[in-house]
């Protein structure tokens, strides 16, 4: 009886752990093809930070539509220009195939929502080249080193303290985010003055990482601006991500660096490392800051 | 008589030094508006490297057309996907205004050439957001440091040794390029094994740098792949450049780094520093390599 009870409990746990294809993230980034190149979207309210729909979540939505539209499955390099602020609710993604090749294809995609008169308003436009990560040779000569971040049990997430950022942040409930205490000074009123943010990253329901969830990961940490002593919103103007490898199962390490805060703008360079110590994704975004 | 002769000689020298707007680079990147959003181009054979038209030169051509088409003059962030190889000769750029705002506008542009039947073939597609560099506040908190590169007279250009790269490289005649000897091992048969390339950069006719010439500068050095011991072509798949500041007059320092050579691809991160020690531009490209 004990054995059967234990097995039943294990089976229940296994049945409830989310998987790639069956998870909050997959459901909330679903793109339903209505016609060739036209995808119906329902932007979830669950991936907002301070009431704004997270830019990485939006990039993943567009990435999913393009992965369906193009003959190659994985984003290799994807650039997004953020035009107007998205809102939870209905949206449509329109894709265009720009060029198809043997190993790479290029596509363009736009996400639209609707104004009060029902007219389409473009929120984001993306240009991307896709390939097949599973066909890449495994010759790896990466000279970069993984970030120095303490073990996960020595890092802290939103659930470990009072909510440091005012306003709704539903995304916090959907992520497993454990920040390096060396990049948490801002949450204690003592920003370090260094443009750095580092964290262990995963999805709260246990779903493993994949190329699309890495598009979320590069934009899901608190802004480096907080550690630079800046307050307020740091909207992304443009973000380019390179996906270099299918990530191994297990948590990711994300390390973000800003070195050029100037003239009302800053860049955030993100590196994503997987549990096999591969540099699986890199991104750079240009964002606006409010100075002074 | 001596005084008038000296003044006349000085006047002649001043008259021949190229300026922004009147230079080889400006003539060869000219975009002639034929109709709204349609620009006739003549791709010069003067900016080729190993017979391929340089990707930064092509980006500058597209950047010039977009600067004319959009209400803001300067590229702040520009992403290009390189689809098919361009050739010297006639081309057309077609632009689309995606969104115009008070301080930023976004546009898209494609460069086409013609196949044997006269059909348009897309070479490059670009997405870019433009602003006005002259309106940016001068609050500069850049933490990055200029590259450690020896004084120009201790660096070396193509003219200082035998041609290290086989094949035509007309671009060498149009650039003032002086490479850091620490990144020149490849030219002597002894690549360092480090993914680095650094140089002083200018235009051979003396024209000062500007935002468009910086789009050339980020892609005009020898590939880091040469220092990694790789031979052959390293074609750019995608390149994103951020222009952060109008460069001061005088030579630029360009520093390129590769840290993630893996799976048949590498990234090249370029930093451009001006004579006033400002980090004036940054870029990252994804390129394909032939391994083994």
């Amino acid at each position: 009886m004990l054995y059967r009870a234990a097995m039943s409990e294990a089976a229940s746990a296994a049945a409830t752990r989310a998987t790639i294809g069956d998870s909050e993230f997959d459901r909330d980034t679903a793109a339903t093809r209505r016609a060739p190149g036209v995808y119906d979207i329902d932007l979830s309210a669950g991936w907002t930070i301070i009431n704004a729909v997270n830019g990485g979540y939006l990039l993943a939505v567009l990435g999913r539509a393009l992965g369906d539209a193009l003959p190659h499955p994985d984003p290799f390099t994807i650039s997004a220009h953020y035009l107007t602020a998205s809102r939870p609710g209905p949206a449509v993604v329109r894709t265009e195939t720009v060029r198809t090749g043997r190993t790479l294809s290029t596509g363009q995609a736009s996400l639209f929502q609707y104004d009060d008169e029902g007219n389409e308003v473009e929120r984001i436009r993306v240009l991307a080249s896709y390939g097949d990560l599973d066909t890449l040779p495994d010759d790896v000569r990466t000279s970069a080193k993984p970030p120095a971040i303490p073990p996960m049990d020595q890092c802290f997430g939103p659930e470990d303290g009072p909510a440091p950022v005012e306003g709704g942040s539903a995304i916090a409930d959907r992520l497993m985010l454990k920040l390096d205490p060396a990049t948490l000074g801002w949450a204690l009123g003592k920003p370090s003055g260094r443009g750095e943010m580092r964290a262990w990253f995963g999805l709260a329901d246990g779903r493993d990482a994949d190329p699309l969830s890495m598009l979320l990961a590069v934009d899901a940490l608190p802004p480096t601006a907080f550690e630079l002593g800046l307050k307020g919103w740091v909207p992304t103007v443009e973000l380019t991500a390179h996906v270099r490898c299918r990530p191994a199962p297990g948590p990711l390490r994300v390390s973000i660096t800003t070195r050029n805060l100037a003239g009302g703008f800053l860049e955030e360079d993100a590196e994503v490392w997987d549990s096999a110590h591969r540099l699986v994704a890199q991104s750079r975004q240009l964002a606006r800051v409010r100075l002074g």
Side-chain angles (χ1 to χ4, degrees), chain A:
Chain A
M1 278 290 282
L2 278 172
Y3 176 72
R4 273 164 62 188
M7 282 303 292
S8 168
E9 200 176 313
S12 299
T16 51
R17 187 174 61 241
T19 56
I20 295 171
D22 185 8
S23 72
E24 284 184 304
F25 175 77
D26 294 292
R27 283 185 291 279
D28 289 347
T29 57
T32 308
R33 192 187 333 123
R34 187 207 310 168
V38 184
Y39 296 84
D40 287 315
I41 309 293
D42 186 17
L43 288 180
S44 164
W47 304 84
T48 54
I49 179 132
I50 323 176
N51 299 319
V53 182
N54 174 264
Y57 162 73
L58 293 167
L59 188 59
V61 169
L62 283 143
R64 191 177 294 287
L66 275 169
D68 182 85
L70 295 173
H72 294 91
D74 304 310
F76 275 27
T77 169
I78 179 164
S79 295
H81 286 246
Y82 294 81
L83 310 168
T84 57
S86 296
R87 293 190 287 257
V92 62
V93 168
R94 299 184 183 280
T95 67
E96 176 196 346
T97 299
V98 178
R99 176 178 184 268
T100 62
R102 190 176 53 84
T103 57
L104 288 178
S105 299
T106 301
Q108 178 179 308
S110 293
L111 185 143
F112 299 88
Q113 288 188 301
Y114 307 96
D115 67 14
D116 295 338
E117 282 93 52
N119 303 313
E120 286 190 2
V121 180
E122 193 167 2
R123 297 294 191 216
I124 303 160
R125 188 174 293 203
V126 152
L127 204 46
S129 289
Y130 274 55
D132 187 342
L133 288 169
D134 293 340
T135 65
L136 297 185
D138 58 12
D139 188 322
V140 179
R141 306 187 207 181
T142 306
S143 64
K145 296 282 172 264
I149 178 171
M152 204 184 304
D153 61 6
Q154 294 170 32
C155 294
F156 300 95
E159 66 282 2
D160 295 317
V165 181
E166 288 182 9
S169 289
I171 198 175
D173 296 332
R174 281 163 187 73
L175 303 180
M176 183 290 292
L177 203 63
K178 296 287 188 185
L179 283 99
D180 185 340
T183 65
L184 264 174
W186 58 274
L188 303 165
K190 290 180 182 165
S192 69
R194 290 187 304 270
E196 299 176 1
M197 197 63 62
R198 290 183 292 276
W200 292 91
F201 177 94
L203 295 167
D205 64 8
R207 176 203 194 271
D208 282 321
D210 78 333
L212 289 183
S213 75
M214 293 204 293
L215 300 183
L216 165 69
V218 298
D219 192 49
L221 268 57
T224 54
F226 287 0
E227 278 289 77
L228 291 166
L230 302 171
K231 299 194 193 318
W233 199 28
V234 188
T236 304
V237 175
E238 177 269 330
L239 187 153
T240 295
H242 295 174
V243 176
R244 300 296 308 274
C245 181
R246 189 174 308 287
L252 303 172
R253 281 160 292 173
V254 181
S255 177
I256 306 185
T257 307
T258 292
R259 296 162 66 246
N260 197 13
L261 165 61
F265 289 83
L266 60 76
E267 94 292 11
E268 281 199 1
D269 277 4
E271 290 189 358
V272 182
W273 294 81
D274 74 358
S275 61
H277 312 294
R278 285 289 305 271
L279 178 47
V280 287
Q282 295 169 266
S283 73
R284 175 176 292 154
Q285 66 170 277
L286 185 70
R288 306 182 78 149
V289 290
R290 207 162 288 128
L291 298 172

